[in-house]
Amino acid sequence: MHREPTLKDVQHVVELARAFLDDALTLLTAYVQSSPSLTRFLKDQGLNPETVLFSFSFPEELPVILEVARRSFPQDESYPVNPYALLLAIREAERGRKGFEFGIVAAKDTDLKTQCEWACATVKKNFERFRGSGEKDFIAFLGKRWAPVGAENDPKGLNRFWVDNVRYFYNLFRKEGEQ
């Protein structure tokens, strides 16, 4: 027999959720405070440590993503956008399963490192293309190639949201005042 939830049931669920969030925030705060080198690294890469550490949905992947990005994007080069913030934004927007984290079809069913290396290579190649294109918006430029609207492998038409989603997360993860 099915019964409708009572106000007391709803209050109980809300209290459980509040306790869970309090515990999660306490753990994240302790992690940030115990990882000054990570916080410093994120700041040095033009990222907002608080939003990366508290809002990125895949914090366990950060070491791999940041290391691959560090090797792929030397600091002495200039880029049209922050490549670190862009990679985190793409990962967040794609939300791919294990072995398909960045949605890279050519590297499907590999691992996070391989997916991230392919993502970095794709971003890098498009940085080069963008420089000679005359276009002004790199994320929109990349979206035409990464997630083209009307692509055969997008039967639900989700690619139409890719640019806006990546731009949203990009702006969330980058440090204020950075490109």
Side-chain angles (χ1 to χ4, degrees):
M1 172 157 57
H2 179 269
R3 71 173 179 85
E4 293 297 315
T6 66
L7 181 58
K8 190 171 185 162
D9 294 332
V10 172
Q11 288 172 326
H12 180 70
V13 169
V14 169
E15 285 302 315
L16 284 173
R18 182 177 299 140
F20 173 78
L21 287 173
D22 285 345
D23 288 349
L25 285 173
T26 300
L27 287 171
L28 282 171
T29 301
Y31 177 74
V32 170
Q33 291 170 348
S34 69
S35 304
S37 60
L38 175 59
T39 301
R40 175 87 261 144
F41 180 79
L42 293 172
K43 284 181 182 176
D44 289 348
Q45 303 318 314
L47 298 170
N48 181 327
E50 290 76 25
T51 58
V52 169
L53 294 172
F54 290 110
S55 299
F56 186 60
S57 297
F58 311 96
E60 71 284 358
E61 296 178 2
L62 280 173
V64 171
I65 294 170
L66 295 173
E67 177 57 26
V68 171
R70 187 189 61 73
R71 284 187 279 111
S72 300
F73 301 103
Q75 284 193 299
D76 61 346
E77 294 182 25
S78 93
Y79 306 103
V81 296
N82 180 318
Y84 290 87
L86 181 63
L87 282 171
L88 295 178
I90 292 169
R91 174 64 181 110
E92 194 72 54
E94 287 288 339
R95 302 187 73 75
R97 63 169 172 74
K98 188 174 178 80
F100 200 48
E101 292 88 349
F102 284 86
I104 304 289
V105 175
K108 192 173 185 176
D109 295 325
T110 55
D111 60 10
L112 173 63
K113 182 176 180 262
T114 304
Q115 279 278 315
C116 191
E117 288 168 343
W118 277 74
C120 288
T122 301
V123 167
K124 226 175 162 161
K125 182 171 276 312
N126 279 287
F127 280 163
E128 294 167 18
R129 290 180 181 138
F130 179 73
R131 284 189 179 98
S133 73
E135 293 193 39
K136 304 287 185 223
D137 181 345
F138 179 76
I139 293 174
F141 178 86
L142 181 63
K144 291 177 202 171
R145 286 147 185 83
W146 194 294
V149 174
E152 279 185 35
N153 67 349
D154 183 32
K156 295 182 181 178
L158 299 177
N159 286 358
R160 71 183 181 273
F161 304 112
W162 193 90
V163 170
D164 288 340
N165 288 340
V166 169
R167 185 174 288 117
Y168 170 81
F169 290 115
Y170 175 80
N171 288 326
L172 180 69
F173 296 140
R174 70 188 174 101
K175 190 179 347 179
E176 291 239 3
E178 296 285 322
Q179 61 181 12

